[in-house]
Amino acid sequence: MSNVRALSCTRCDYQEAPASTEYNCPRCGGVREVLFDYEVIRAHFGKETLAADRRWDVRRYLPLLPIPEGAPLTPLRVGGTPVYQAPRLAQKAGVARVWVKDEGGQPTGSFKDRASFVGVARAAHQGQKIVAAASTGNAATSLAGLAASLGLLPYIFVPATAPEAKVAQLLAYGAKVFAIEADYDTTYDLCQQAVAHFGWYNRSAAVNPYLVEGKKTCGLEIGEELGQDPPDWVSMSVGDGCSLAGTYKGLVEMFQLGLLQKIPKMLAVQAAGAAPLTRAFDAHTEEVERLEAQTIADSINVGMPRNPLKALRAVRASGGRFVNVSDDAILAAIPEVARATGVFGEPAAVTAWAGVHAAVEAGILGKNDSVLVVSTGTGLKDVKAARRATQASPTLAPTMDAVIKRVESL
Ligand SMILES: *Cc1c(COP(=O)(O)O)cnc(C)c1O
Ligand SMILES: [Zn+2]
């Protein structure tokens, strides 16, 4: 029996059995939400089964994922990322407690593997050979890596300005890369047209509602790890909004299953140069205007978010807030997090930490609050940004003299 009950449109509320199409609402084109049959799920999933399950990765949550039985799964180990206490970060921001959940150790180095896990399983199950995505980088490399693991062929649309490490990773995985001379928003639109034209499997988390369900495994893990002592807030950076919306759904499910004592508030952090959702949230509207986007945090350099309703509603339902941070604050957060925790994040990853500072300044977070920061991707994805955020070391002559001088100068 399937655990999926229906697909429901976030815009017009039209509901149907999950059959007619994999993607957007056939009536209005809106993004859809996967509704589960929790009765069916509860019959063979819960506290006891989780306690007995020794796998610490997303396969723990298969009963909560829209993956048909018998679908091929990537052998790569997705999820099960660590949560670290970060007392020195807490001290720096003046809050009670901080945890960092490091997504940098995912198979392809970012949070996106959680969504791709579901995407490639569904594509392979349907016999689709070609899987396509448009991405600022990480969704693409993630799809490419997980597709490679199952012998699928990734077709990837990226802005020609995508960081070199991400493009190199794509090419290594054998992706067919379409490097478009345009921004992400235009690249995205072109990919959607190509997908419709050629009939490829669409791994866009804003079009394919099943992928957000993969992203919820982050929330499920937080629920399991900190369920007895949950943080007041969970901070995440926001581009399209799928990652935050997915994580929130996972937190809600853990709460409903009785594994999480309270649902944290979501702190949604946008780069000041790409903040259409903050603007909509603060204006109490669900109408999101397309803005010119410009930020160093390429993974959230999104002017036209593709999943605005789910993200706006998740933050509102949680009692949370949106905040903006400058590129300078993002850059400063790279070494700050790395030095206080050992976690090296890419700009969009440490944006979540920069947002904690911003929220404290705005009086949203206080000294009694605790916050879990999701560091969504490894800093190795964008070493240029890390170099900009740190001071270069001088080169030295190969003599002890030079070494001694250098030591004295430290
Ligand atoms: C994609 C991504 C985000 C933002 O996720 P959205 O679903 O676009 O909001 C944040 N950080 C990293 C590293 C990402 O790759
Ligand atoms: Zn609709």
Side-chain angles (χ1 to χ4, degrees):
M1 200 145 125
S2 170
N3 58 358
V4 176
R5 182 161 62 77
L7 293 176
S8 171
C9 178
T10 55
R11 199 191 285 161
C12 77
D13 291 329
Y14 173 64
Q15 277 194 22
E16 63 169 9
S20 79
T21 161
E22 185 93 354
Y23 310 119
N24 282 349
C25 174
R27 291 238 172 123
C28 78
V31 179
R32 298 200 286 181
E33 160 109 30
V34 182
L35 303 182
F36 288 84
D37 189 335
Y38 292 106
E39 301 256 304
V40 168
I41 291 168
R42 274 212 189 89
H44 54 105
F45 177 82
K47 240 181 221 176
E48 291 74 28
T49 57
L50 279 174
D53 193 338
R54 302 177 71 106
R55 297 170 298 185
W56 181 238
D57 59 58
V58 297
R59 291 172 304 166
R60 297 170 70 69
Y61 309 114
L62 277 171
L64 283 171
L65 295 175
I67 295 177
E69 232 165 286
L73 299 180
T74 176
L76 299 175
R77 190 172 171 277
V78 175
T81 60
V83 169
Y84 302 116
Q85 298 205 32
R88 278 179 282 154
L89 285 182
Q91 202 175 10
K92 274 186 189 295
V95 296
R97 293 173 81 182
V98 173
W99 296 266
V100 175
K101 185 165 176 65
D102 180 17
E103 296 287 303
Q106 296 274 15
T108 75
S110 87
F111 185 97
K112 298 291 195 294
D113 288 346
R114 298 180 180 279
S116 299
F117 178 84
V118 173
V120 294
R122 292 189 67 88
H125 185 68
Q126 292 168 17
Q128 295 262 23
K129 250 338 226 188
I130 295 176
V131 291
S135 167
T136 56
N138 285 336
T141 50
S142 171
L143 176 66
L146 270 59
S149 78
L150 285 177
L152 305 176
L153 189 55
Y155 280 31
I156 306 294
F157 289 64
V158 289
T161 54
E164 213 174 304
K166 295 181 181 177
V167 176
Q169 206 180 350
L170 281 175
L171 296 170
Y173 287 135
K176 306 295 179 203
V177 176
F178 300 76
I180 309 298
E181 291 168 346
D183 62 5
Y184 168 64
D185 299 298
T186 307
T187 303
Y188 179 94
D189 287 336
L190 196 59
C191 178
Q192 300 312 309
Q193 285 176 38
V195 162
H197 184 83
F198 292 104
W200 306 324
Y201 190 83
N202 196 345
R203 187 240 178 267
S204 163
V207 169
N208 185 330
Y210 297 105
L211 296 175
V212 175
E213 303 303 320
K215 294 188 168 196
K216 86 188 174 190
T217 56
C218 178
L220 298 172
E221 286 177 12
I222 295 169
E224 268 204 273
E225 288 173 294
L226 301 178
Q228 296 309 307
D229 182 20
D232 299 309
W233 292 81
V234 169
S235 179
M236 295 182 72
S237 67
V238 174
D240 277 320
C242 306
S243 303
L244 182 141
T247 299
Y248 178 67
K249 185 166 183 178
L251 291 168
V252 170
E253 285 184 346
M254 272 290 150
F255 178 73
Q256 287 168 345
L257 287 163
L259 285 140
L260 174 63
Q261 292 202 335
K262 71 166 186 203
I263 300 171
K265 296 176 206 159
M266 302 304 293
L267 184 64
V269 189
Q270 294 218 279
L277 285 170
T278 302
R279 182 192 278 193
F281 187 86
D282 289 345
H284 306 283
T285 174
E286 291 192 331
E287 301 300 319
V288 180
E289 280 172 59
R290 184 180 193 138
L291 300 179
E292 285 299 313
Q294 185 52 54
T295 168
I296 187 165
D298 65 288
S299 298
I300 52 170
N301 193 17
V302 179
M304 182 63 225
R306 307 294 167 164
N307 213 343
L309 296 183
K310 280 187 195 172
L312 289 169
R313 288 172 188 174
V315 176
R316 198 175 307 125
S318 75
R321 290 284 292 274
F322 271 85
V323 292
N324 290 350
V325 293
S326 68
D327 276 9
D328 283 345
I330 292 170
L331 282 175
I334 295 175
E336 190 171 81
V337 174
R339 289 165 195 187
T341 65
V343 175
F344 178 30
E346 69 162 83
V350 301
T351 295
W353 171 245
V356 171
H357 281 304
V360 169
E361 271 159 40
I364 296 167
L365 284 182
K367 64 179 186 341
N368 296 324
D369 284 317
S370 58
V371 56
L372 180 140
V373 173
V374 183
S375 182
T376 38
T378 169
L380 294 174
K381 295 272 191 169
D382 188 356
V383 290
K384 262 195 201 143
R387 290 302 292 261
R388 271 182 66 180
T390 50
Q391 263 193 331
S393 316
T395 58
L396 304 180
T399 64
M400 239 346 249
D401 232 22
V403 172
I404 290 166
K405 277 217 182 82
R406 172 87 176 115
V407 170
E408 285 168 349
S409 77
L410 293 177

